[in-house]
Amino acid sequence: PVDYQHAGHDGKTTLWVVFVIMVIASAVFAGLSWRVPVSKRLYHIITTLITIFAAISYFAMATGHGVAVNHIKIRHTHNHVPDTFTYVDRQVYWARYIDWTLTTPLLLLDLSLLAGLNGAHILLAVIADIIMILTGLFAAFGSEGTPQKWGWYTIACIAYLVVVWHLAVHGRAQAQARSNQVATFFASIAGFTLLVWTAYPIVWGLADGARKVSVDGEIIAYAVLDVLAKPVFGLWLLITHSKMSETNVDL
Ligand code: RET
């Protein structure tokens, strides 16, 4: 017996809707960059690239690309009865991990520049973030019954804590050193980021991990999070930055 878990109508529609949102967000962010002097455009460029990458990844997923089937064998042991096996074939959208490998470092760069984090700390946060996403990808293709799957998940969570540490400790201290206004803004936008990002491993655990959530449910949950983490975050950042000269970057 094989339980085939795959995207249905709601999931596919959601992928198209988010694709359109990401395209519109990219156009709006590019448009906003023309309203500020070139010296203030670094955040606009980073943020526009984030939604462009997301649009490409959503286009792939909506057209049925960037997805593979993870074949999982589940062993059932009963008293006096020989072992029986059932199988779960579940779709895994690996395109997300390519997207996240490129976009989460860019999101961290936005926050790091805002706080005024130094190069060494930016590099460490970005590398920890990439380790988090790539070990998460290994976890997604781990099979049931093997310890590797949750092992990779644990490594990814530790890497995530390293990222959080850099933002919460070094980021906050540097933002405070810039000005009270920057510190207050950093506390709100980094706090928002922390809440949204922390939902990803929870969704992963329930959907890819425990398979308690359907593929459609997973698509919808990640869609909401992606819209909050990219277009909503980006708009908030760009509007506030254009009014706050202390956040200018001389690079
Ligand atoms: C995974 C699974 C393994 C454990 C952890 C994860 C964290 C993922 C995060 C993703 C953030 C994505 C964003 C996308 C933007 O649109 C890989 C799900 C910790 C934090 C912000």
Side-chain angles (χ1 to χ4, degrees):
V2 178
D3 169 17
Y4 183 41
Q5 302 183 353
H6 58 95
H9 175 265
D10 291 351
K12 288 174 190 163
T13 309
T14 305
L15 292 172
W16 279 116
V17 169
V18 179
F19 164 69
V20 172
I21 293 175
M22 294 297 177
V23 170
I24 295 172
S26 305
V28 169
F29 296 161
L32 286 176
S33 78
W34 294 323
R35 299 170 53 136
V36 297
V38 176
S39 63
K40 281 180 82 85
R41 277 186 200 165
L42 186 55
Y43 295 95
H44 292 75
I45 292 171
I46 296 171
T47 309
T48 309
L49 288 172
I50 291 168
T51 50
I52 288 177
F53 281 135
I56 295 170
S57 148
Y58 268 93
F59 183 75
M61 296 191 288
T63 54
H65 296 138
V67 60
V69 173
N70 187 19
H71 183 71
I72 302 139
K73 185 176 186 178
I74 299 169
R75 180 177 174 174
H76 305 269
T77 318
H78 304 285
N79 278 345
H80 313 298
V81 175
D83 283 350
T84 53
F85 296 97
T86 54
Y87 299 89
V88 178
D89 280 355
R90 184 177 172 107
Q91 280 186 323
V92 176
Y93 283 90
W94 52 263
R96 297 187 187 289
Y97 296 85
I98 312 274
D99 168 343
W100 297 347
T101 305
L102 296 164
T103 57
T104 53
L106 290 172
L107 288 163
L108 286 179
L109 192 58
D110 262 342
L111 288 173
S112 304
L113 294 173
L114 175 68
L117 216 60
N118 65 54
H121 285 147
I122 297 180
L123 187 65
L124 277 175
V126 164
I127 299 287
D129 176 86
I130 293 173
I131 291 175
M132 167 185 87
I133 302 297
L134 295 182
T135 52
L137 176 61
F138 286 140
F141 283 96
S143 295
E144 189 66 17
T146 61
Q148 287 97 313
K149 176 187 187 145
W150 293 104
W152 284 121
Y153 181 81
T154 307
I155 297 173
C157 288
I158 294 169
Y160 178 53
L161 293 179
V162 174
V163 174
V164 172
W165 171 267
H166 273 88
L167 289 183
V169 177
H170 302 303
R172 198 157 49 153
Q174 289 301 117
Q176 190 65 59
R178 280 198 150 165
S179 75
N180 276 334
Q181 213 195 356
V182 174
T184 307
F185 177 49
F186 181 81
S188 358
I189 199 162
F192 170 80
T193 302
L194 185 67
L195 282 179
V196 173
W197 284 40
T198 302
Y200 283 85
I202 296 172
V203 170
W204 193 100
L206 295 172
D208 284 294
R211 290 185 298 277
K212 297 236 183 296
V213 171
S214 68
V215 173
D216 276 359
E218 174 185 333
I219 291 174
I220 293 165
Y222 280 140
V224 172
L225 295 176
D226 285 348
V227 170
L228 292 173
K230 288 168 170 152
V232 172
F233 168 93
L235 197 62
W236 185 12
L237 177 77
L238 295 184
I239 289 176
T240 312
H241 160 60
S242 62
K243 294 185 289 203
M244 219 184 257
S245 62
E246 305 100 299
T247 58
N248 287 4
V249 183
D250 335 283
L251 276 179

